[in-house]
Amino acid sequence: MLNNSSYDVAVIGAGVSGLSCALILARHGKKVVVLEQHPRLAPVLRGFKRNGMFFDSGFHYVGGLGDDGPLWPLLRYLGLDIGLELTPFNPDGFDCLHNCTTGQRLCLPVGFENIRMQLSARFPGAAKDIKEYLDDIERCWRSVPYLDLDLDLNEVVNASVHGLTVAQALARFAPWPELQGLLSMHGLLYGIEPSQALASLNAQVAGSYYHSAHGIRGGGGAVVQTYVERLAAAGVEVRCGAEVTQILSEAGTVSGVCLSDGAEIQASEVIASMNPALLPEMLPAGAVRPAYLKRLQGLRQTASAYVLFAACTNPVEVLQGCNLFSQQGTGVFDSCLDQNVEERPLFLAAATPQHLHAGVGDSEDGESKIRHGVIGIVPAAHSEVAPFWSGPHQRKHGYESKKKEIGAAICNRIRTCCPELESLEQVDLSTPLTLQDYSMAPAGAIYGVGRFAGQYNPQAVTRLPGLYLSGQAIAAPGLLGALVGAYMTCGSMLGHDLLRGELRKWR
Amino acid sequence: MTEQEVIELIDSSLAEEFELERAEMTPEANIYEDLGLDSLDTVDMVIVLEGAFKFKIREEESVRAIRTLGDIHQFVLTKVAENS
Ligand SMILES: Cc1cc2nc3c(=O)[nH]c(=O)nc-3n(C[C@H](O)[C@H](O)[C@H](O)COP(=O)(O)OP(=O)(O)OC[C@H]3O[C@@H](n4cnc5c(N)ncnc54)[C@H](O)[C@@H]3O)c2cc1C
């Protein structure tokens, strides 16, 4: 074995969680290699350029970064705050519920107090319950080990997986279906139906945005660029096109990984940041108990989606510093997967928050015309496109026309609901198959393994010494969840007291 | 289900899912010291029991207090009785 193929830590997966783990461990003097199956790093987050426009693929906005935002120390510690320019969303309405049938819009202002005031004024009959509901979320959304750095870890009692669901928590607002819609719409950001999502999960995700909502200039592409710079400075090696097929062990302890081309990489510790449902196939025989294997295999995945990338010739004022969550009816948001694409809920965002990334395209008369990117996300089932799968990045005949058809339906839906976006035209569409290729998540799950009511998600520490898990499954969905997940993993390796102590200096 | 059937279902499920020797699975056996489980296995144990008996385990304190296989029997028997 070559000397240069021996590392302290090998990280599987170059997404936010894997790359953050690598940076944290490099800071602690570890020699780290990150292995990514995709030809380029951070495939989910990096976005792409088409027709002169930049489209984000896995990022639109982030919560928890306002004044006193608990995400700051996590970014600063890794130098990820440097060079990232935040663009605050509209303080008077950063996320709006849009009723497609009536055309009515109801917006959430930034900040718990503002939300309480605005909603109580609008729904006076529910004022007392609104206050109680929001107080609960404000109290608990950041009560996790790495968002609250003062939390006594011995006192952290993990909320029961059999806790209250979002649907149950919102039942008290039944007389106000519009309010139920508004308070459940962030389910689109964790991909679990309200009847199956824990209220504590909704609190974590929605609560972070209630606290504050920001875009990042340059979007996910800029975030990836910052990671690349920090990784280079930290001397972390990243190998792309390196698919891990086996985790190796010797005498009951992790010893490295094997790649699909047969190459072996020695490492004393391995972090698996990919979807944990992929882990059983990689584990050495007998390394973990059958009960644990079964648990990994049975983990439920979040919903998948169609993501429409489109362009408008007119500026999309309605999406300036604000996202739209659109539903056909009223009441608690659910994905309506049993219905046509046109009937399902829809998330609409400007391609790059705030500062629309205006590109130059050629119009028919040869004159250049500014175009504005729009992104629409609609829940989808993998089975709807599964027949077209013929291998990674390979599709059967008819897939392109199916994509056009679905894209056209979503465009129609948007044009009908939002007359402001009348000039909308499809640029491209990603499907559950695309998401599957980019993250390897089974069935193209947008947020990987979800925190479903009744499901015990795996923890960072495994029973195979030297093997750790990371990613959304062990913490929470989104950028924030992936970052918290990375710290939880590294804290398990380095000692939580040590890592949290260091983070406190970066508040 | 009789008490004996409940105990048999517990023992057979745990034996299979944790690859335990039935001969060692006496009620007095300490699940950590004698049967070799560790704190990481506790969650898997809860999942196995929830799956076998179709109930939800919310009693974290009681689970943490479990030391012997007999404690597990007792815990499950109580829950089965509550649920019937
Ligand atoms: C359409 C969309 C919109 C989103 N919008 C937002 C948003 O507005 N705000 C927000 O905060 N979050 C958003 N997210 C979520 C955010 O993108 C994710 O939370 C985050 O990227 C997850 O990072 P991760 O590192 O945990 O997982 P991933 O990025 O999935 O990282 C896992 C990596 O492991 C690699 N891998 C898998 N198997 C192997 C193997 N065998 N060998 C080597 N490598 C392997 C994968 O290729 C992948 O790169 C969005 C996601 C999507 C899909």
Side-chain angles (χ1 to χ4, degrees), chain B residues 34-79:
Chain B
D34 302 325
L35 301 181
L37 268 60
D38 63 24
S39 60
L40 286 174
D41 292 319
T42 317
V43 183
D44 289 313
M45 183 182 81
V46 165
I47 299 170
V48 168
L49 296 177
E50 284 191 347
F53 292 95
K54 310 287 171 234
F55 52 44
K56 296 171 180 174
I57 298 179
R58 294 194 175 88
E59 304 81 348
E60 283 208 20
E61 291 294 320
S62 322
V63 170
R64 248 187 306 231
I66 286 175
R67 287 291 169 275
T68 65
L69 187 56
D71 293 344
I72 301 181
H73 295 162
Q74 216 40 61
F75 174 78
V76 173
L77 284 168
T78 310
K79 270 198 81 81

Side-chain angles (χ1 to χ4, degrees), chain A residues 157-163 286 288-292 294-295 454 456-457 459 461-463, chain B residues 16-20 35-38 40-41 43-44 46-48 50 56-58 60 64:
Chain A
V157 195
N158 285 332
S160 168
V161 300
H162 300 300
V288 297
R289 302 203 187 264
Y292 185 67
K294 239 194 217 171
R295 174 174 164 201
Y456 294 86
N457 283 14
Q459 295 167 332
V461 180
T462 72
R463 224 171 172 282
Chain B
E16 184 189 332
E17 303 273 4
F18 291 91
E19 296 176 316
L20 304 175
L35 301 181
L37 268 60
D38 63 24
L40 286 174
D41 292 319
V43 183
D44 289 313
V46 165
I47 299 170
V48 168
E50 284 191 347
K56 296 171 180 174
I57 298 179
R58 294 194 175 88
E60 283 208 20
R64 248 187 306 231

Side-chain angles (χ1 to χ4, degrees), chain A residues 31 118 147 199 275 277 490:
Chain A
K31 187 178 172 201
Q118 203 151 310
L147 288 183
N275 195 297
C490 296

